[in-house]
PDB file of all heavy atoms in Angstrom:
ATOM      1  N   ALA A   1     -15.394  34.943  34.648  1.00  0.00           N
ATOM      2  CA  ALA A   1     -15.411  34.263  33.350  1.00  0.00           C
ATOM      3  C   ALA A   1     -14.380  33.142  33.305  1.00  0.00           C
ATOM      4  O   ALA A   1     -14.629  32.064  32.744  1.00  0.00           O
ATOM      5  CB  ALA A   1     -15.149  35.267  32.233  1.00  0.00           C
ATOM      6  N   LEU A   2     -13.220  33.380  33.912  1.00  0.00           N
ATOM      7  CA  LEU A   2     -12.156  32.378  33.934  1.00  0.00           C
ATOM      8  C   LEU A   2     -12.563  31.169  34.777  1.00  0.00           C
ATOM      9  O   LEU A   2     -12.318  30.018  34.408  1.00  0.00           O
ATOM     10  CB  LEU A   2     -10.875  33.010  34.487  1.00  0.00           C
ATOM     11  CG  LEU A   2      -9.576  32.227  34.354  1.00  0.00           C
ATOM     12  CD1 LEU A   2      -9.313  31.854  32.906  1.00  0.00           C
ATOM     13  CD2 LEU A   2      -8.417  33.053  34.914  1.00  0.00           C
ATOM     14  N   TYR A   3     -13.181  31.438  35.924  1.00  0.00           N
ATOM     15  CA  TYR A   3     -13.672  30.350  36.773  1.00  0.00           C
ATOM     16  C   TYR A   3     -14.722  29.528  36.021  1.00  0.00           C
ATOM     17  O   TYR A   3     -14.704  28.295  36.034  1.00  0.00           O
ATOM     18  CB  TYR A   3     -14.266  30.923  38.054  1.00  0.00           C
ATOM     19  CG  TYR A   3     -14.612  29.878  39.088  1.00  0.00           C
ATOM     20  CD1 TYR A   3     -13.686  29.493  40.045  1.00  0.00           C
ATOM     21  CD2 TYR A   3     -15.858  29.268  39.116  1.00  0.00           C
ATOM     22  CE1 TYR A   3     -13.989  28.532  41.008  1.00  0.00           C
ATOM     23  CE2 TYR A   3     -16.177  28.304  40.054  1.00  0.00           C
ATOM     24  CZ  TYR A   3     -15.230  27.940  41.001  1.00  0.00           C
ATOM     25  OH  TYR A   3     -15.539  26.983  41.934  1.00  0.00           O
ATOM     26  N   ALA A   4     -15.636  30.225  35.349  1.00  0.00           N
ATOM     27  CA  ALA A   4     -16.687  29.542  34.583  1.00  0.00           C
ATOM     28  C   ALA A   4     -16.086  28.706  33.461  1.00  0.00           C
ATOM     29  O   ALA A   4     -16.564  27.601  33.167  1.00  0.00           O
ATOM     30  CB  ALA A   4     -17.666  30.570  34.017  1.00  0.00           C
ATOM     31  N   GLN A   5     -15.037  29.220  32.827  1.00  0.00           N
ATOM     32  CA  GLN A   5     -14.431  28.529  31.693  1.00  0.00           C
ATOM     33  C   GLN A   5     -13.608  27.324  32.126  1.00  0.00           C
ATOM     34  O   GLN A   5     -13.696  26.244  31.534  1.00  0.00           O
ATOM     35  CB  GLN A   5     -13.524  29.505  30.920  1.00  0.00           C
ATOM     36  CG  GLN A   5     -12.894  28.928  29.670  1.00  0.00           C
ATOM     37  CD  GLN A   5     -13.913  28.653  28.576  1.00  0.00           C
ATOM     38  OE1 GLN A   5     -14.874  29.398  28.423  1.00  0.00           O
ATOM     39  NE2 GLN A   5     -13.715  27.586  27.813  1.00  0.00           N
ATOM     40  N   ALA A   6     -12.806  27.478  33.185  1.00  0.00           N
ATOM     41  CA  ALA A   6     -11.825  26.452  33.546  1.00  0.00           C
ATOM     42  C   ALA A   6     -12.317  25.444  34.574  1.00  0.00           C
ATOM     43  O   ALA A   6     -11.863  24.296  34.577  1.00  0.00           O
ATOM     44  CB  ALA A   6     -10.547  27.128  34.062  1.00  0.00           C
ATOM     45  N   LEU A   7     -13.231  25.835  35.449  1.00  0.00           N
ATOM     46  CA  LEU A   7     -13.572  24.973  36.580  1.00  0.00           C
ATOM     47  C   LEU A   7     -15.027  24.543  36.640  1.00  0.00           C
ATOM     48  O   LEU A   7     -15.390  23.713  37.469  1.00  0.00           O
ATOM     49  CB  LEU A   7     -13.203  25.678  37.895  1.00  0.00           C
ATOM     50  CG  LEU A   7     -11.712  25.982  38.093  1.00  0.00           C
ATOM     51  CD1 LEU A   7     -11.489  26.635  39.441  1.00  0.00           C
ATOM     52  CD2 LEU A   7     -10.876  24.718  37.978  1.00  0.00           C
ATOM     53  N   VAL A   8     -15.875  25.107  35.804  1.00  0.00           N
ATOM     54  CA  VAL A   8     -17.287  24.724  35.789  1.00  0.00           C
ATOM     55  C   VAL A   8     -17.570  24.027  34.468  1.00  0.00           C
ATOM     56  O   VAL A   8     -17.462  24.642  33.403  1.00  0.00           O
ATOM     57  CB  VAL A   8     -18.207  25.952  35.964  1.00  0.00           C
ATOM     58  CG1 VAL A   8     -19.662  25.511  36.053  1.00  0.00           C
ATOM     59  CG2 VAL A   8     -17.823  26.726  37.215  1.00  0.00           C
ATOM     60  N   HIS A   9     -17.916  22.741  34.534  1.00  0.00           N
ATOM     61  CA  HIS A   9     -17.961  21.921  33.324  1.00  0.00           C
ATOM     62  C   HIS A   9     -19.375  21.466  32.979  1.00  0.00           C
ATOM     63  O   HIS A   9     -20.120  20.996  33.841  1.00  0.00           O
ATOM     64  CB  HIS A   9     -17.063  20.697  33.495  1.00  0.00           C
ATOM     65  CG  HIS A   9     -15.646  21.044  33.845  1.00  0.00           C
ATOM     66  ND1 HIS A   9     -14.806  21.704  32.972  1.00  0.00           N
ATOM     67  CD2 HIS A   9     -14.925  20.838  34.982  1.00  0.00           C
ATOM     68  CE1 HIS A   9     -13.626  21.876  33.548  1.00  0.00           C
ATOM     69  NE2 HIS A   9     -13.674  21.366  34.773  1.00  0.00           N
ATOM     70  N   ARG A  10     -19.695  21.606  31.711  1.00  0.00           N
ATOM     71  CA  ARG A  10     -20.989  21.138  31.196  1.00  0.00           C
ATOM     72  C   ARG A  10     -21.066  19.617  31.299  1.00  0.00           C
ATOM     73  O   ARG A  10     -20.076  18.916  31.104  1.00  0.00           O
ATOM     74  CB  ARG A  10     -21.138  21.578  29.740  1.00  0.00           C
ATOM     75  CG  ARG A  10     -22.500  21.258  29.119  1.00  0.00           C
ATOM     76  CD  ARG A  10     -22.612  21.953  27.777  1.00  0.00           C
ATOM     77  NE  ARG A  10     -23.857  21.650  27.099  1.00  0.00           N
ATOM     78  CZ  ARG A  10     -24.286  22.285  26.002  1.00  0.00           C
ATOM     79  NH1 ARG A  10     -23.556  23.259  25.487  1.00  0.00           N
ATOM     80  NH2 ARG A  10     -25.424  21.966  25.433  1.00  0.00           N
ATOM     81  N   ASP A  11     -22.241  19.106  31.620  1.00  0.00           N
ATOM     82  CA  ASP A  11     -22.513  17.673  31.805  1.00  0.00           C
ATOM     83  C   ASP A  11     -21.792  17.081  33.012  1.00  0.00           C
ATOM     84  O   ASP A  11     -21.792  15.866  33.203  1.00  0.00           O
ATOM     85  CB  ASP A  11     -22.160  16.867  30.552  1.00  0.00           C
ATOM     86  CG  ASP A  11     -23.127  17.137  29.408  1.00  0.00           C
ATOM     87  OD1 ASP A  11     -24.190  17.727  29.666  1.00  0.00           O
ATOM     88  OD2 ASP A  11     -22.812  16.767  28.261  1.00  0.00           O
ATOM     89  N   VAL A  12     -21.187  17.931  33.807  1.00  0.00           N
ATOM     90  CA  VAL A  12     -20.604  17.513  35.084  1.00  0.00           C
ATOM     91  C   VAL A  12     -21.203  18.360  36.197  1.00  0.00           C
ATOM     92  O   VAL A  12     -21.821  17.854  37.129  1.00  0.00           O
ATOM     93  CB  VAL A  12     -19.066  17.650  35.093  1.00  0.00           C
ATOM     94  CG1 VAL A  12     -18.505  17.296  36.474  1.00  0.00           C
ATOM     95  CG2 VAL A  12     -18.449  16.751  34.024  1.00  0.00           C
ATOM     96  N   ASP A  13     -21.071  19.696  36.065  1.00  0.00           N
ATOM     97  CA  ASP A  13     -21.614  20.617  37.062  1.00  0.00           C
ATOM     98  C   ASP A  13     -22.993  21.149  36.669  1.00  0.00           C
ATOM     99  O   ASP A  13     -23.744  21.604  37.523  1.00  0.00           O
ATOM    100  CB  ASP A  13     -20.657  21.797  37.262  1.00  0.00           C
ATOM    101  CG  ASP A  13     -19.281  21.345  37.700  1.00  0.00           C
ATOM    102  OD1 ASP A  13     -19.192  20.721  38.768  1.00  0.00           O
ATOM    103  OD2 ASP A  13     -18.306  21.589  36.975  1.00  0.00           O
ATOM    104  N   TYR A  14     -23.276  21.129  35.377  1.00  0.00           N
ATOM    105  CA  TYR A  14     -24.565  21.671  34.923  1.00  0.00           C
ATOM    106  C   TYR A  14     -24.934  21.058  33.571  1.00  0.00           C
ATOM    107  O   TYR A  14     -24.108  20.444  32.877  1.00  0.00           O
ATOM    108  CB  TYR A  14     -24.496  23.198  34.790  1.00  0.00           C
ATOM    109  CG  TYR A  14     -23.537  23.684  33.718  1.00  0.00           C
ATOM    110  CD1 TYR A  14     -23.983  23.965  32.430  1.00  0.00           C
ATOM    111  CD2 TYR A  14     -22.185  23.855  33.992  1.00  0.00           C
ATOM    112  CE1 TYR A  14     -23.117  24.398  31.442  1.00  0.00           C
ATOM    113  CE2 TYR A  14     -21.304  24.288  33.016  1.00  0.00           C
ATOM    114  CZ  TYR A  14     -21.769  24.559  31.738  1.00  0.00           C
ATOM    115  OH  TYR A  14     -20.902  24.984  30.755  1.00  0.00           O
ATOM    116  N   LEU A  15     -26.208  21.223  33.220  1.00  0.00           N
ATOM    117  CA  LEU A  15     -26.721  20.833  31.911  1.00  0.00           C
ATOM    118  C   LEU A  15     -27.282  22.069  31.221  1.00  0.00           C
ATOM    119  O   LEU A  15     -27.572  23.080  31.867  1.00  0.00           O
ATOM    120  CB  LEU A  15     -27.852  19.806  32.055  1.00  0.00           C
ATOM    121  CG  LEU A  15     -27.562  18.487  32.756  1.00  0.00           C
ATOM    122  CD1 LEU A  15     -28.867  17.711  32.940  1.00  0.00           C
ATOM    123  CD2 LEU A  15     -26.565  17.669  31.963  1.00  0.00           C
ATOM    124  N   ILE A  16     -27.458  21.983  29.916  1.00  0.00           N
ATOM    125  CA  ILE A  16     -28.222  22.992  29.192  1.00  0.00           C
ATOM    126  C   ILE A  16     -29.556  22.355  28.823  1.00  0.00           C
ATOM    127  O   ILE A  16     -29.609  21.383  28.061  1.00  0.00           O
ATOM    128  CB  ILE A  16     -27.491  23.463  27.915  1.00  0.00           C
ATOM    129  CG1 ILE A  16     -26.114  24.030  28.269  1.00  0.00           C
ATOM    130  CG2 ILE A  16     -28.331  24.513  27.194  1.00  0.00           C
ATOM    131  CD1 ILE A  16     -26.156  25.235  29.183  1.00  0.00           C
ATOM    132  N   VAL A  17     -30.632  22.869  29.390  1.00  0.00           N
ATOM    133  CA  VAL A  17     -31.972  22.319  29.168  1.00  0.00           C
ATOM    134  C   VAL A  17     -32.885  23.442  28.684  1.00  0.00           C
ATOM    135  O   VAL A  17     -33.072  24.446  29.385  1.00  0.00           O
ATOM    136  CB  VAL A  17     -32.551  21.693  30.460  1.00  0.00           C
ATOM    137  CG1 VAL A  17     -33.931  21.113  30.189  1.00  0.00           C
ATOM    138  CG2 VAL A  17     -31.618  20.627  31.010  1.00  0.00           C
ATOM    139  N   ASP A  18     -33.418  23.284  27.478  1.00  0.00           N
ATOM    140  CA  ASP A  18     -34.320  24.293  26.897  1.00  0.00           C
ATOM    141  C   ASP A  18     -33.702  25.685  26.943  1.00  0.00           C
ATOM    142  O   ASP A  18     -34.362  26.676  27.302  1.00  0.00           O
ATOM    143  CB  ASP A  18     -35.670  24.288  27.625  1.00  0.00           C
ATOM    144  CG  ASP A  18     -36.408  22.970  27.484  1.00  0.00           C
ATOM    145  OD1 ASP A  18     -36.236  22.311  26.453  1.00  0.00           O
ATOM    146  OD2 ASP A  18     -37.133  22.596  28.435  1.00  0.00           O
ATOM    147  N   GLY A  19     -32.429  25.763  26.598  1.00  0.00           N
ATOM    148  CA  GLY A  19     -31.761  27.055  26.522  1.00  0.00           C
ATOM    149  C   GLY A  19     -31.429  27.686  27.851  1.00  0.00           C
ATOM    150  O   GLY A  19     -31.175  28.899  27.921  1.00  0.00           O
ATOM    151  N   ALA A  20     -31.428  26.907  28.919  1.00  0.00           N
ATOM    152  CA  ALA A  20     -31.128  27.449  30.250  1.00  0.00           C
ATOM    153  C   ALA A  20     -30.118  26.557  30.961  1.00  0.00           C
ATOM    154  O   ALA A  20     -30.061  25.351  30.739  1.00  0.00           O
ATOM    155  CB  ALA A  20     -32.402  27.564  31.085  1.00  0.00           C
ATOM    156  N   VAL A  21     -29.313  27.177  31.836  1.00  0.00           N
ATOM    157  CA  VAL A  21     -28.344  26.439  32.637  1.00  0.00           C
ATOM    158  C   VAL A  21     -29.062  25.807  33.825  1.00  0.00           C
ATOM    159  O   VAL A  21     -29.751  26.496  34.585  1.00  0.00           O
ATOM    160  CB  VAL A  21     -27.224  27.379  33.146  1.00  0.00           C
ATOM    161  CG1 VAL A  21     -26.341  26.669  34.159  1.00  0.00           C
ATOM    162  CG2 VAL A  21     -26.386  27.878  31.980  1.00  0.00           C
ATOM    163  N   LYS A  22     -28.920  24.501  33.984  1.00  0.00           N
ATOM    164  CA  LYS A  22     -29.512  23.777  35.110  1.00  0.00           C
ATOM    165  C   LYS A  22     -28.396  23.121  35.908  1.00  0.00           C
ATOM    166  O   LYS A  22     -27.655  22.290  35.378  1.00  0.00           O
ATOM    167  CB  LYS A  22     -30.494  22.708  34.621  1.00  0.00           C
ATOM    168  CG  LYS A  22     -31.672  23.259  33.818  1.00  0.00           C
ATOM    169  CD  LYS A  22     -32.614  24.065  34.692  1.00  0.00           C
ATOM    170  CE  LYS A  22     -33.845  24.503  33.908  1.00  0.00           C
ATOM    171  NZ  LYS A  22     -34.757  25.332  34.735  1.00  0.00           N
ATOM    172  N   LEU A  23     -28.274  23.488  37.180  1.00  0.00           N
ATOM    173  CA  LEU A  23     -27.219  22.923  38.019  1.00  0.00           C
ATOM    174  C   LEU A  23     -27.519  21.470  38.356  1.00  0.00           C
ATOM    175  O   LEU A  23     -28.681  21.071  38.433  1.00  0.00           O
ATOM    176  CB  LEU A  23     -27.080  23.723  39.316  1.00  0.00           C
ATOM    177  CG  LEU A  23     -26.234  25.001  39.256  1.00  0.00           C
ATOM    178  CD1 LEU A  23     -26.866  26.038  38.336  1.00  0.00           C
ATOM    179  CD2 LEU A  23     -26.061  25.592  40.649  1.00  0.00           C
ATOM    180  N   ILE A  24     -26.457  20.681  38.564  1.00  0.00           N
ATOM    181  CA  ILE A  24     -26.592  19.287  38.955  1.00  0.00           C
ATOM    182  C   ILE A  24     -26.188  19.154  40.417  1.00  0.00           C
ATOM    183  O   ILE A  24     -25.132  19.644  40.825  1.00  0.00           O
ATOM    184  CB  ILE A  24     -25.710  18.368  38.087  1.00  0.00           C
ATOM    185  CG1 ILE A  24     -26.125  18.472  36.612  1.00  0.00           C
ATOM    186  CG2 ILE A  24     -25.805  16.926  38.555  1.00  0.00           C
ATOM    187  CD1 ILE A  24     -25.225  17.698  35.671  1.00  0.00           C
ATOM    188  N   SER A  25     -27.028  18.518  41.212  1.00  0.00           N
ATOM    189  CA  SER A  25     -26.735  18.307  42.628  1.00  0.00           C
ATOM    190  C   SER A  25     -25.537  17.382  42.785  1.00  0.00           C
ATOM    191  O   SER A  25     -25.515  16.277  42.238  1.00  0.00           O
ATOM    192  CB  SER A  25     -27.952  17.706  43.337  1.00  0.00           C
ATOM    193  OG  SER A  25     -27.599  17.203  44.610  1.00  0.00           O
ATOM    194  N   ASP A  26     -24.519  17.812  43.552  1.00  0.00           N
ATOM    195  CA  ASP A  26     -23.323  17.002  43.773  1.00  0.00           C
ATOM    196  C   ASP A  26     -23.650  15.688  44.450  1.00  0.00           C
ATOM    197  O   ASP A  26     -23.082  14.649  44.125  1.00  0.00           O
ATOM    198  CB  ASP A  26     -22.322  17.765  44.655  1.00  0.00           C
ATOM    199  CG  ASP A  26     -21.597  18.839  43.873  1.00  0.00           C
ATOM    200  OD1 ASP A  26     -21.585  18.750  42.634  1.00  0.00           O
ATOM    201  OD2 ASP A  26     -21.048  19.763  44.494  1.00  0.00           O
ATOM    202  N   SER A  27     -24.560  15.707  45.414  1.00  0.00           N
ATOM    203  CA  SER A  27     -24.804  14.522  46.228  1.00  0.00           C
ATOM    204  C   SER A  27     -25.869  13.600  45.653  1.00  0.00           C
ATOM    205  O   SER A  27     -25.961  12.446  46.052  1.00  0.00           O
ATOM    206  CB  SER A  27     -25.215  14.933  47.650  1.00  0.00           C
ATOM    207  OG  SER A  27     -26.396  15.701  47.617  1.00  0.00           O
ATOM    208  N   ARG A  28     -26.688  14.105  44.682  1.00  0.00           N
ATOM    209  CA  ARG A  28     -27.780  13.269  44.178  1.00  0.00           C
ATOM    210  C   ARG A  28     -27.703  12.977  42.695  1.00  0.00           C
ATOM    211  O   ARG A  28     -28.401  12.105  42.199  1.00  0.00           O
ATOM    212  CB  ARG A  28     -29.130  13.933  44.487  1.00  0.00           C
ATOM    213  CG  ARG A  28     -29.366  14.104  45.978  1.00  0.00           C
ATOM    214  CD  ARG A  28     -30.838  14.321  46.259  1.00  0.00           C
ATOM    215  NE  ARG A  28     -30.996  14.657  47.660  1.00  0.00           N
ATOM    216  CZ  ARG A  28     -31.394  15.838  48.102  1.00  0.00           C
ATOM    217  NH1 ARG A  28     -31.665  16.786  47.253  1.00  0.00           N
ATOM    218  NH2 ARG A  28     -31.521  16.069  49.387  1.00  0.00           N
ATOM    219  N   GLY A  29     -26.882  13.739  41.963  1.00  0.00           N
ATOM    220  CA  GLY A  29     -26.768  13.497  40.533  1.00  0.00           C
ATOM    221  C   GLY A  29     -27.979  13.941  39.743  1.00  0.00           C
ATOM    222  O   GLY A  29     -28.110  13.631  38.563  1.00  0.00           O
ATOM    223  N   ARG A  30     -28.891  14.662  40.367  1.00  0.00           N
ATOM    224  CA  ARG A  30     -30.112  15.122  39.708  1.00  0.00           C
ATOM    225  C   ARG A  30     -30.009  16.606  39.397  1.00  0.00           C
ATOM    226  O   ARG A  30     -29.176  17.320  39.960  1.00  0.00           O
ATOM    227  CB  ARG A  30     -31.327  14.901  40.616  1.00  0.00           C
ATOM    228  CG  ARG A  30     -31.541  13.460  41.033  1.00  0.00           C
ATOM    229  CD  ARG A  30     -32.680  13.362  42.048  1.00  0.00           C
ATOM    230  NE  ARG A  30     -32.856  12.000  42.510  1.00  0.00           N
ATOM    231  CZ  ARG A  30     -33.603  11.099  41.886  1.00  0.00           C
ATOM    232  NH1 ARG A  30     -34.251  11.430  40.793  1.00  0.00           N
ATOM    233  NH2 ARG A  30     -33.710   9.871  42.366  1.00  0.00           N
ATOM    234  N   VAL A  31     -30.891  17.088  38.522  1.00  0.00           N
ATOM    235  CA  VAL A  31     -31.007  18.526  38.328  1.00  0.00           C
ATOM    236  C   VAL A  31     -31.448  19.147  39.643  1.00  0.00           C
ATOM    237  O   VAL A  31     -32.400  18.684  40.270  1.00  0.00           O
ATOM    238  CB  VAL A  31     -32.023  18.852  37.212  1.00  0.00           C
ATOM    239  CG1 VAL A  31     -32.373  20.334  37.226  1.00  0.00           C
ATOM    240  CG2 VAL A  31     -31.464  18.460  35.849  1.00  0.00           C
ATOM    241  N   ALA A  32     -30.722  20.146  40.088  1.00  0.00           N
ATOM    242  CA  ALA A  32     -31.049  20.825  41.343  1.00  0.00           C
ATOM    243  C   ALA A  32     -32.079  21.913  41.037  1.00  0.00           C
ATOM    244  O   ALA A  32     -31.731  23.019  40.620  1.00  0.00           O
ATOM    245  CB  ALA A  32     -29.796  21.429  41.969  1.00  0.00           C
ATOM    246  N   GLN A  33     -33.339  21.563  41.196  1.00  0.00           N
ATOM    247  CA  GLN A  33     -34.414  22.489  40.857  1.00  0.00           C
ATOM    248  C   GLN A  33     -34.308  23.777  41.667  1.00  0.00           C
ATOM    249  O   GLN A  33     -33.984  23.764  42.846  1.00  0.00           O
ATOM    250  CB  GLN A  33     -35.772  21.832  41.118  1.00  0.00           C
ATOM    251  CG  GLN A  33     -36.011  20.558  40.314  1.00  0.00           C
ATOM    252  CD  GLN A  33     -36.116  20.812  38.821  1.00  0.00           C
ATOM    253  OE1 GLN A  33     -36.304  21.942  38.393  1.00  0.00           O
ATOM    254  NE2 GLN A  33     -36.000  19.748  38.039  1.00  0.00           N
ATOM    255  N   LEU A  34     -34.560  24.888  41.002  1.00  0.00           N
ATOM    256  CA  LEU A  34     -34.564  26.221  41.624  1.00  0.00           C
ATOM    257  C   LEU A  34     -33.184  26.667  42.110  1.00  0.00           C
ATOM    258  O   LEU A  34     -33.081  27.655  42.820  1.00  0.00           O
ATOM    259  CB  LEU A  34     -35.545  26.281  42.807  1.00  0.00           C
ATOM    260  CG  LEU A  34     -37.013  26.053  42.479  1.00  0.00           C
ATOM    261  CD1 LEU A  34     -37.843  26.088  43.761  1.00  0.00           C
ATOM    262  CD2 LEU A  34     -37.532  27.109  41.513  1.00  0.00           C
ATOM    263  N   GLN A  35     -32.145  25.944  41.742  1.00  0.00           N
ATOM    264  CA  GLN A  35     -30.824  26.298  42.267  1.00  0.00           C
ATOM    265  C   GLN A  35     -30.045  27.108  41.239  1.00  0.00           C
ATOM    266  O   GLN A  35     -30.138  26.868  40.040  1.00  0.00           O
ATOM    267  CB  GLN A  35     -30.039  25.039  42.645  1.00  0.00           C
ATOM    268  CG  GLN A  35     -28.820  25.337  43.507  1.00  0.00           C
ATOM    269  CD  GLN A  35     -28.327  24.111  44.248  1.00  0.00           C
ATOM    270  OE1 GLN A  35     -28.875  23.039  44.096  1.00  0.00           O
ATOM    271  NE2 GLN A  35     -27.307  24.276  45.042  1.00  0.00           N
ATOM    272  N   ARG A  36     -29.266  28.071  41.732  1.00  0.00           N
ATOM    273  CA  ARG A  36     -28.433  28.874  40.851  1.00  0.00           C
ATOM    274  C   ARG A  36     -27.188  29.292  41.618  1.00  0.00           C
ATOM    275  O   ARG A  36     -27.172  29.318  42.845  1.00  0.00           O
ATOM    276  CB  ARG A  36     -29.181  30.097  40.337  1.00  0.00           C
ATOM    277  CG  ARG A  36     -29.689  31.037  41.402  1.00  0.00           C
ATOM    278  CD  ARG A  36     -30.477  32.200  40.811  1.00  0.00           C
ATOM    279  NE  ARG A  36     -29.630  33.149  40.129  1.00  0.00           N
ATOM    280  CZ  ARG A  36     -29.860  33.631  38.909  1.00  0.00           C
ATOM    281  NH1 ARG A  36     -30.931  33.234  38.241  1.00  0.00           N
ATOM    282  NH2 ARG A  36     -29.061  34.490  38.348  1.00  0.00           N
ATOM    283  N   TRP A  37     -26.143  29.606  40.871  1.00  0.00           N
ATOM    284  CA  TRP A  37     -24.949  30.129  41.507  1.00  0.00           C
ATOM    285  C   TRP A  37     -25.173  31.593  41.875  1.00  0.00           C
ATOM    286  O   TRP A  37     -26.127  32.221  41.400  1.00  0.00           O
ATOM    287  CB  TRP A  37     -23.772  30.045  40.534  1.00  0.00           C
ATOM    288  CG  TRP A  37     -23.260  28.662  40.292  1.00  0.00           C
ATOM    289  CD1 TRP A  37     -22.649  27.839  41.195  1.00  0.00           C
ATOM    290  CD2 TRP A  37     -23.308  27.930  39.060  1.00  0.00           C
ATOM    291  NE1 TRP A  37     -22.313  26.639  40.604  1.00  0.00           N
ATOM    292  CE2 TRP A  37     -22.707  26.668  39.288  1.00  0.00           C
ATOM    293  CE3 TRP A  37     -23.791  28.212  37.781  1.00  0.00           C
ATOM    294  CZ2 TRP A  37     -22.574  25.713  38.303  1.00  0.00           C
ATOM    295  CZ3 TRP A  37     -23.657  27.251  36.794  1.00  0.00           C
ATOM    296  CH2 TRP A  37     -23.060  26.020  37.061  1.00  0.00           C
ATOM    297  N   PRO A  38     -24.305  32.146  42.745  1.00  0.00           N
ATOM    298  CA  PRO A  38     -24.373  33.595  42.960  1.00  0.00           C
ATOM    299  C   PRO A  38     -24.392  34.293  41.606  1.00  0.00           C
ATOM    300  O   PRO A  38     -23.729  33.857  40.657  1.00  0.00           O
ATOM    301  CB  PRO A  38     -23.078  33.882  43.732  1.00  0.00           C
ATOM    302  CG  PRO A  38     -22.806  32.612  44.472  1.00  0.00           C
ATOM    303  CD  PRO A  38     -23.241  31.508  43.533  1.00  0.00           C
ATOM    304  N   ASP A  39     -25.155  35.377  41.513  1.00  0.00           N
ATOM    305  CA  ASP A  39     -25.531  35.928  40.212  1.00  0.00           C
ATOM    306  C   ASP A  39     -24.370  36.177  39.256  1.00  0.00           C
ATOM    307  O   ASP A  39     -24.485  35.954  38.062  1.00  0.00           O
ATOM    308  CB  ASP A  39     -26.320  37.229  40.414  1.00  0.00           C
ATOM    309  CG  ASP A  39     -27.682  36.939  41.023  1.00  0.00           C
ATOM    310  OD1 ASP A  39     -28.183  35.821  40.842  1.00  0.00           O
ATOM    311  OD2 ASP A  39     -28.224  37.827  41.693  1.00  0.00           O
ATOM    312  N   GLY A  40     -23.235  36.659  39.772  1.00  0.00           N
ATOM    313  CA  GLY A  40     -22.114  36.930  38.877  1.00  0.00           C
ATOM    314  C   GLY A  40     -21.628  35.694  38.167  1.00  0.00           C
ATOM    315  O   GLY A  40     -21.389  35.700  36.953  1.00  0.00           O
ATOM    316  N   LEU A  41     -21.482  34.582  38.895  1.00  0.00           N
ATOM    317  CA  LEU A  41     -21.019  33.337  38.292  1.00  0.00           C
ATOM    318  C   LEU A  41     -22.090  32.748  37.377  1.00  0.00           C
ATOM    319  O   LEU A  41     -21.785  32.209  36.312  1.00  0.00           O
ATOM    320  CB  LEU A  41     -20.635  32.327  39.379  1.00  0.00           C
ATOM    321  CG  LEU A  41     -20.139  30.967  38.877  1.00  0.00           C
ATOM    322  CD1 LEU A  41     -18.932  31.124  37.968  1.00  0.00           C
ATOM    323  CD2 LEU A  41     -19.798  30.057  40.059  1.00  0.00           C
ATOM    324  N   GLN A  42     -23.348  32.855  37.785  1.00  0.00           N
ATOM    325  CA  GLN A  42     -24.441  32.367  36.940  1.00  0.00           C
ATOM    326  C   GLN A  42     -24.387  33.058  35.576  1.00  0.00           C
ATOM    327  O   GLN A  42     -24.472  32.411  34.530  1.00  0.00           O
ATOM    328  CB  GLN A  42     -25.784  32.644  37.613  1.00  0.00           C
ATOM    329  CG  GLN A  42     -26.990  32.104  36.873  1.00  0.00           C
ATOM    330  CD  GLN A  42     -27.246  30.633  37.128  1.00  0.00           C
ATOM    331  OE1 GLN A  42     -26.737  30.087  38.099  1.00  0.00           O
ATOM    332  NE2 GLN A  42     -28.017  30.003  36.267  1.00  0.00           N
ATOM    333  N   ALA A  43     -24.236  34.374  35.593  1.00  0.00           N
ATOM    334  CA  ALA A  43     -24.185  35.136  34.344  1.00  0.00           C
ATOM    335  C   ALA A  43     -22.954  34.764  33.525  1.00  0.00           C
ATOM    336  O   ALA A  43     -23.011  34.699  32.293  1.00  0.00           O
ATOM    337  CB  ALA A  43     -24.189  36.632  34.646  1.00  0.00           C
ATOM    338  N   ALA A  44     -21.823  34.505  34.196  1.00  0.00           N
ATOM    339  CA  ALA A  44     -20.597  34.151  33.485  1.00  0.00           C
ATOM    340  C   ALA A  44     -20.734  32.806  32.769  1.00  0.00           C
ATOM    341  O   ALA A  44     -20.263  32.648  31.637  1.00  0.00           O
ATOM    342  CB  ALA A  44     -19.421  34.112  34.465  1.00  0.00           C
TER     343      ALA A  44
END
């Protein structure tokens, strides 16, 4: 939870789209389709 709060930033590392977390590709700046963090961090 602390990692999610302090180091994972909305509109930088991910977006909220239709009520879901969508990761952003570091190298392309696009939504990384089908991508998710390891389940614990995703849930956090």
Side-chain angles (χ1 to χ4, degrees):
L2 191 55
Y3 189 91
Q5 183 68 35
L7 297 182
V8 184
H9 304 294
R10 185 170 178 170
D11 290 346
V12 176
D13 302 300
Y14 65 94
L15 301 173
I16 302 299
V17 181
D18 297 329
V21 171
K22 299 291 185 182
L23 277 65
I24 299 175
S25 166
D26 284 341
S27 60
R28 299 199 188 113
R30 302 174 183 274
V31 167
Q33 300 294 344
L34 297 178
Q35 194 161 2
R36 59 183 288 131
W37 288 294
D39 291 335
L41 180 58
Q42 184 82 18

